[in-house]
């Protein structure tokens, strides 16, 4: 079987090593040898180690090659990759991708085009890197009504939080470190402002709840305002701060957020560090399931991609037709209004008057369980409030100072 | 589709509710309604809620019913269930079972009989209750060489340890509590002496390492000697005690143990409580994956059983033939000799002379990092030693007193 590869970056190289260079056990477990024959890359002089493969610079050379049955699309970005995935499906080629942006944005359209052309579209690596999740989630929904998903889904921010915890580093410093070792991009927006997580959460939520949820249906709060003092104060009170994607379905009402959350140090979530991800799903029959593993990295992500390739090769051999993914449930997008909890709040204050005004707002809008006044800032722990009240409170604090941070306490 | 059910206990009732009484979404996700028509139970007067089903007391009424295509075997025990599973497969019926004893003892024979008769034998619920694991493990081994498995696999002992931790209860008391609420059997041997865990670990190890590993190839240490003081001392030093199944493959050498282990409170494993299970597998490409969920309980386990039934119904519809499970790797069973670690040891002593003798043995055989002498007992923390040395040391301590406990410290 001949395969085409679009994109020869880190993950693409990992996939090439597993398939063409015989790393791992992939070739041992298929009857007919499968190789990537053509690789799309901008640089035609790039060397490939397997003489059965060549670099091409024109995507159509791959899409119009009748011998290539499966296209592995690992480019990143949005418009160009979307167009190529669509074109490949329309030309009757199976597609495996890790592109969460494309899948979350065009989920319904692309899954339908795949079915119309009787080909597979697989995207296991788009969420949770190497963690086997998409098929498991689909399986569980065949018996369960899944009503809640939560997860640490972004390796970059989790690495930053781990560094801030272990090194006492501040956010900017930890971000720079992450950029220096290639864990964060030059423009870190997608990671630290929640878009990466919300896309992954949108994919999982759409599958779990059986109706399309998009990136923009999920309320996002940036992680940028977290400081070393917050990590420290949380730890002193028995919590670790994590950047959480969290959604639930209450009848037809969908609530979804990406936000910093305080987890008790006696919880599993609080001990997921660096590039590791965890995803929790809760069903009405099975209860809570959690899946943990590497959410990023060359080999782990390539493993998920090649797993999808293997699935398609087997399905082709068995002549099993792909099944439609159903998104027919009515889902009302309710933002984050449904989340209720106590909050941890830190506000930097210049003087006593600022302090009194800010504390006054907290007392009035949320109620206060505890207050710790320190040098230049105070820490408050609120009573349980809904997200709408907390949003209103944040606005009031924002009018006093921009230098503050708050996070929901997960109970 | 007509199904037969052998055994109408807790899990059998849960399966019946999901399939015949329309709890959950099972029926929604198959084209043709499937019902359990015949249920094997000793008591012919037992009532069933669905008029399409009846109680039978003779297993042959089910096995000889040509309309029954799938037999769900949930009886427990060994010989009788083994015979019925074998007979059902030989009569060309697909079998779903949760019986870990039968599967671990007759793994190769039963999987081969299934293939000879072109039927499926599925046993997802035999390990980790509701956690979707067996298929995932099989999938991962198609790309990865899996070389390590560890897990908290027994709900009863994990409940006992959780109770001892939260209530400060001693082992016997916590065991009695567990028996009173039906979490432990009248004869708790299988749970507290490690047989339940070793059977589950044998099944996972056989699949992961591609060669038959049996219950008896795994070194087992009972949990009975753990005391409230051990839990407390571990906690004071930042550890929780867990009852761990742990195996690894070093080239062809297999090491497997079931034993109490101290996990750091900053680890995920240390926060898995009560009836929850966790399983960690490590592959050469994917790295470590962990799966967490309910390892016991009616609904969660029934969910896994019905998931297997659903798989078979779909495979029958698609006319996909079952594939053989390969156990062709050469595996040398090495006991527990390969495990090295520091150990926590508690020894009860009557007088100073006993104390000096016991401490002397520890110093000589294992080396000592720390010693805490308390009223009537002492606690020691050893330097890293291999399991053979620790076994030798335990024998020496045993010759001084029977009242002692030790556990490996997981690093």
């Amino acid at each position: 079987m001949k395969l085409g590869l679009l994109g020869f970056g880190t993950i693409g190289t990992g996939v090439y090593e597993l398939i063409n260079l015989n790393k791992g056990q992939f070739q041992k477990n298929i009857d007919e040898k499968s190789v990537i024959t053509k690789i799309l890359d901008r640089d035609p002089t790039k060397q490939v180690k397997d003489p059965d493969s060549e670099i091409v610079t024109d995507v159509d050379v791959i899409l119009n090659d009748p011998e290539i049955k499966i296209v592995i699309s690992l480019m990143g970005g949005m418009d160009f990759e979307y167009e190529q995935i669509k074109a490949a499906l329309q030309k009757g080629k199976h597609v495996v991708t890790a592109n969460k942006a494309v899948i979350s944005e065009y989920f319904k359209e692309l899954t339908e085009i795949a079915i119309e052309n009787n080909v597979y579209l697989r995207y296991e690596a788009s969420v949770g890197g190497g963690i086997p999740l998409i098929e498991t989630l689909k399986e569980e929904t065949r018996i369960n009504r899944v009503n809640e998903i939560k997860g640490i889904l972004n390796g970059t921010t989790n690495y930053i939080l781990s560094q801030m915890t272990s090194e006492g580093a501040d956010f900017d410093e930890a971000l720079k470190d992450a950029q220096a070792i290639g864990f964060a991009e030059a423009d870190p927006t997608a990671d630290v402002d929640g878009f990466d997580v919300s896309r992954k959460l949108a994919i999982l939520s759409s599958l779990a709840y059986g109706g399309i949820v998009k990136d923009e249906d999920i309320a996002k709060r940036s992680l940028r305002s977290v400081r070393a003092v917050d990590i420290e104060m949380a730890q002193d009170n028995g919590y670790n701060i994590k950047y959480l994607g969290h959604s639930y379905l209450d009848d037809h009402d969908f609530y979804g957020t990406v936000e910093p959350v305080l987890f008790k140090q006696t919880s599993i979530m609080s001990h997921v560090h660096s590039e590791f991800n965890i995803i929790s799903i809760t069903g009405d029959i099975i209860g809570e399931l959690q899946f943990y593993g590497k959410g990023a990295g060359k080999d782990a992500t390539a493993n998920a991609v090649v797993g999808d390739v293997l699935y398609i090769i087997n399905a082709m051999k068995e002549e099993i037709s792909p099944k439609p993914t159903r998104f027919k449930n009515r889902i009302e997008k309710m933002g984050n209004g449904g989340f209720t909890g106590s909050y941890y709040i830190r506000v930097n204050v210049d003087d006593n008057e600022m302090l009194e005004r800010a504390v006054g707002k907290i007392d009035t809008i949320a109620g206060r369980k505890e207050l710790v006044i320190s040098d230049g800032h105070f820490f408050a722990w609120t009573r349980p409030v809904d997200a709408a009240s907390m949003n209103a409170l944040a606005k009031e604090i924002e009018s006093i100072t921009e230098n503050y941070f708050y996070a929901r306490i997960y109970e």
Side-chain angles (χ1 to χ4, degrees), chain A:
Chain A
M1 169 109 40
K2 293 182 178 173
L3 319 169
L5 175 62
L6 313 185
F8 206 34
T10 307
I11 312 302
T13 306
V15 168
Y16 185 76
E17 287 171 1
L18 288 177
I19 294 179
N20 284 44
L21 305 182
N22 288 311
K23 189 173 161 185
Q25 311 208 92
F26 169 75
Q27 295 291 354
K28 249 180 76 176
N29 285 298
I30 46 173
D31 300 335
E32 182 203 349
K33 200 185 175 208
S34 294
V35 286
I36 294 165
T37 53
K38 289 177 179 150
I39 303 163
L40 179 71
D41 194 273
R42 261 173 246 159
D43 177 6
T45 66
K46 200 177 262 187
Q47 294 299 308
V48 289
K49 287 186 185 160
D50 178 6
D52 288 344
S53 58
E54 58 170 327
I55 298 283
V56 301
T57 53
D58 177 2
V59 67
D60 288 332
V61 174
I62 292 175
L63 298 189
N64 293 327
D65 183 336
E67 290 196 304
I68 289 177
K69 305 295 182 199
I70 303 175
V71 171
I72 303 166
S73 186
L74 302 169
M75 295 183 285
M78 180 69 94
D79 294 347
F80 183 74
E81 187 152 9
Y82 159 66
E83 293 298 340
Q84 306 322 315
I85 290 173
K86 191 161 78 171
L89 295 171
Q90 284 167 339
K91 286 172 192 286
K93 297 184 193 305
H94 306 284
V95 172
V96 174
T97 183
N99 192 318
K100 60 201 145 287
V102 170
I103 294 296
S104 65
E105 186 62 31
Y106 302 101
F107 210 176
K108 192 160 188 289
E109 184 194 0
L110 290 177
T111 51
E112 285 174 358
I113 292 173
I115 293 300
E116 283 159 20
N117 291 279
N118 197 31
V119 290
Y120 284 94
L121 169 65
R122 305 266 300 185
Y123 43 86
E124 178 62 66
S126 66
V127 185
I131 306 171
L133 191 63
I134 301 290
E135 287 308 302
T136 308
L137 181 55
K138 281 188 188 171
E139 285 304 313
E140 293 306 332
T141 58
R142 295 169 70 86
I143 296 170
N144 287 263
R145 248 168 279 269
V146 174
N147 47 36
E148 186 170 10
I149 297 169
K150 56 180 191 280
I152 297 169
L153 291 163
N154 180 269
T156 306
T157 48
N158 206 42
Y159 175 82
I160 290 172
L161 288 171
S162 294
Q163 284 298 104
M164 290 177 73
T165 307
S166 61
E167 311 292 325
D170 234 325
F171 182 84
D172 291 338
E173 196 185 327
L175 173 58
K176 266 179 210 154
D177 281 359
Q179 286 168 326
I181 61 164
F183 256 45
E185 318 228 2
D187 175 3
T189 304
D191 292 321
V192 305
D193 293 333
F195 298 97
D196 177 80
V197 177
S198 69
R199 284 165 180 160
K200 291 167 178 169
L201 185 61
I203 294 171
L204 296 179
S205 299
S206 299
L207 289 172
Y209 309 144
I212 288 293
V213 171
K214 284 197 163 183
D215 176 29
E216 58 262 32
D217 303 324
I218 294 166
K220 288 169 275 289
R221 279 188 50 224
S222 173
L223 189 65
R224 290 181 200 258
S225 53
V226 68
R227 295 289 169 271
V229 286
D230 299 315
I231 306 272
E232 207 183 312
M233 180 53 79
Q235 290 214 302
D236 289 350
N237 284 274
Y239 296 93
N240 289 344
I241 300 179
K242 293 290 162 189
Y243 197 43
L244 190 77
H246 189 181
S247 80
Y248 75 91
L249 192 69
D250 179 7
D251 197 9
H252 290 279
D253 294 348
F254 168 85
Y255 301 90
T257 68
V258 181
E259 58 178 331
V261 165
L262 268 64
F263 277 100
K264 279 202 184 112
Q265 284 167 356
T266 52
S267 70
I268 287 174
M269 289 263 170
S270 74
H271 299 295
V272 176
H273 299 300
S274 297
E275 80 271 32
F276 282 89
N277 280 192
I278 195 163
I279 295 100
S280 155
I281 66 174
T282 303
D284 58 345
I285 308 293
I286 193 82
E288 184 176 13
L289 295 172
Q290 293 192 39
F291 305 91
Y292 167 94
K294 280 186 186 165
K298 188 175 84 167
D299 282 348
T301 310
N303 190 109
V305 171
V306 176
D308 278 349
V309 172
L310 192 58
Y311 181 95
I312 294 170
I313 290 173
N314 283 326
M316 287 170 73
K317 192 183 146 202
E318 300 275 350
E319 297 177 355
I320 308 165
S321 293
K323 305 289 170 300
T325 307
R326 305 268 181 218
F327 297 119
K328 58 184 192 312
N329 287 351
R330 181 173 61 81
I331 289 183
E332 309 280 346
K333 321 294 167 57
M334 311 298 285
N336 63 347
F339 290 91
T340 294
S342 294
Y343 283 81
Y344 158 83
I345 307 177
R346 184 248 319 147
V347 184
N348 287 24
V349 286
D350 299 335
D351 54 35
N352 218 37
E353 189 259 328
M354 261 178 89
L355 184 146
E356 278 177 19
R357 272 171 62 209
V359 171
K361 297 294 182 192
I362 292 170
D363 286 353
T364 311
I365 301 174
R368 168 163 53 95
K369 279 197 288 201
E370 219 187 312
L371 181 71
V372 176
I373 299 171
S374 182
D375 197 25
H377 46 248
F378 72 84
F379 307 93
W381 305 76
T382 77
R383 300 196 175 282
V385 287
D386 58 27
S389 303
M390 189 59 226
N391 289 349
L393 174 55
K395 258 194 189 155
E396 294 286 349
I397 295 173
E398 184 96 31
S399 74
I400 300 170
T401 174
E402 284 180 3
N403 207 336
Y404 70 102
F405 171 78
Y406 67 96
R408 182 156 56 97
I409 298 163
Y410 192 89
E411 302 290 354

